[in-house]
Amino acid sequence: MMNTVSKFLCAGLLLAAAAPPAVSADADYPRRPIRVVVAFPAGGSADIVGRLVTQKVSEMSGYNFVVENRPGAGGNLAFDAVASAAPDGYTVLFSTPGIAINPSLYSKVSYKIGDFKAISLVGEAPLVLLARPSLGVTSVDELVKSSQASPDAIRFASSGNGSSSHLAAEVLRTMTGLQYLHVPYRGGGAAMTDVVGQQLDITVQPISESLPFIRNGSLVALGQTGRERSSIAPDIPTIEETGVQGYASTTWYMLLGPAGLSQDVMATLAEKFDQALRQPDLRDRLQGIGVNLINGGPDQAQAFLDSETVRWEKLVQAARIQID
């Protein structure tokens, strides 16, 4: 007679034989389009870089990416949407530094850095400080002196509260005593258009988008915000070179997902982005618009994100700025 233990063993073997082989829940990822949320309007640098990279990944992998532009609240609308999304790999964020800045800049945000997993650090790019020609300044020093002579007379158009554009100017204000009235826009394109149209006086924008206006004389470049001159504009000095020692403020581009994202999905996306960013044609296109390629995987991207969060917390506190 079969004892109780033998009965259970036999039953277990029968069930195991009948059951389908175990597979990873993510083995067939992705089964549908992947939504890539961008915190700025179409046509801005984050949108352009995000579309270039995801298009190349799509060409190489067959994955279908849908870019969703969700501007507003300094990027917080986009950040909140991804932080609260299902961590299944079908909603990811293509972010600029705002994600690391806003927890310190805003009195209250719904997300925290721990709500995200960094997947791929694409690269970084300098911005450029620009003035309308009729303002009559050709250097950072002249701008600072002019602004101090008439406080709040200089009207600064940023890409939005908490944007790289906004914070680059705030850091410069802290270091030089620059005075201005801040006018935030919902994207860099509109801000630059109004400075070109002389409705406002200065702005800080990505160098690639600014060059046509600099070259045709519509805007005056006062200095690049990076630590080194951009290869696409080697004739424009850095702000540090103009005399503001230690100044540097760049924008960067990173792919992130919700914190609960599985290691399998994260590794899959990281691998596909790495393969795309190694392609000479994509590298050339990104470098051609002023992006310094980094191509860091999840560990490097996460370490960078954490360090930027700490760095910007100190800078925001030093600048004594907060947005309600």
Side-chain angles (χ1 to χ4, degrees):
M1 180 179 291
M2 185 178 293
N3 60 32
T4 303
V5 173
S6 298
K7 288 179 180 178
F8 277 115
L9 287 172
C10 287
L13 290 170
L14 288 171
L15 287 171
V23 295
S24 166
D26 304 312
D28 54 352
Y29 172 84
R31 300 182 300 277
R32 61 179 190 270
I34 300 168
R35 181 171 61 130
V36 182
V37 180
V38 176
F40 293 97
S45 65
D47 177 72
I48 291 170
V49 174
R51 289 178 188 274
L52 283 174
V53 176
T54 53
Q55 180 182 351
K56 191 63 181 179
V57 175
S58 180
E59 290 173 3
M60 296 183 66
S61 65
Y63 293 3
N64 185 7
F65 293 95
V66 177
V67 175
E68 178 183 315
N69 300 96
R70 189 175 287 201
N76 288 332
L77 295 181
F79 306 149
D80 290 345
V82 177
S84 61
D88 53 12
Y90 292 100
T91 300
V92 293
L93 175 71
F94 195 80
S95 185
T96 53
I99 191 171
I101 296 168
N102 288 5
S104 299
L105 183 65
Y106 284 80
S107 59
K108 184 178 180 181
V109 294
S110 300
Y111 74 91
K112 56 185 181 297
I113 290 298
D115 291 334
F116 299 91
K117 275 186 179 177
I119 299 169
S120 174
L121 175 58
V122 174
E124 64 176 351
L127 306 170
V128 60
L129 175 62
L130 303 157
R132 58 179 175 86
S134 56
L135 189 62
V137 299
T138 58
S139 70
V140 174
D141 185 58
E142 288 180 3
L143 176 65
V144 172
K145 289 178 179 177
S146 175
S147 74
Q148 291 175 338
S150 302
D152 292 337
I154 301 295
R155 297 159 301 169
F156 162 58
S158 80
S159 299
N161 282 323
S163 65
S164 300
S165 166
H166 176 202
L167 271 295
E170 286 294 321
V171 173
L172 185 63
R173 178 184 63 79
T174 301
M175 298 178 72
T176 64
L178 174 67
Q179 301 293 312
Y180 56 75
L181 176 66
H182 178 212
V183 183
Y185 283 72
R186 295 186 67 182
M192 190 149 53
T193 296
D194 277 2
V195 177
V196 170
Q198 304 190 58
Q199 280 81 30
L200 282 87
D201 304 304
I202 61 172
T203 189
V204 179
Q205 296 299 331
I207 199 162
S208 59
E209 299 169 35
S210 308
L211 276 178
F213 300 100
I214 296 169
R215 301 304 187 217
N216 69 16
S218 299
L219 293 170
V220 176
L222 304 182
Q224 300 186 37
T225 68
R227 295 172 183 84
E228 299 177 354
R229 297 189 186 197
S230 170
S231 60
I232 64 170
D235 55 320
I236 302 174
T238 66
I239 288 175
E240 183 174 40
E241 286 179 299
T242 68
V244 187
Q245 293 300 314
Y247 179 88
S249 182
T250 61
T251 191
W252 43 259
Y253 308 99
M254 181 183 293
L255 184 75
L256 306 101
L261 197 64
S262 75
Q263 287 297 118
D264 286 347
V265 169
M266 187 169 71
T268 297
L269 285 171
E271 178 187 11
K272 299 305 181 187
F273 271 69
D274 173 67
Q275 291 172 353
L277 290 167
R278 291 179 184 275
Q279 301 308 304
D281 58 337
L282 178 59
R283 296 179 72 89
D284 288 347
R285 292 191 72 181
L286 291 175
Q287 289 169 352
I289 58 174
V291 179
N292 232 352
L293 267 292
I294 297 175
N295 190 16
D299 290 343
Q300 183 180 350
Q302 189 65 54
F304 182 86
L305 177 63
D306 293 340
S307 68
E308 281 289 277
T309 302
V310 172
R311 184 174 79 90
W312 277 109
E313 181 180 10
K314 293 177 181 177
L315 290 171
V316 168
Q317 288 176 351
R320 296 181 180 179
I321 53 172
Q322 190 168 77
I323 300 171
D324 294 327

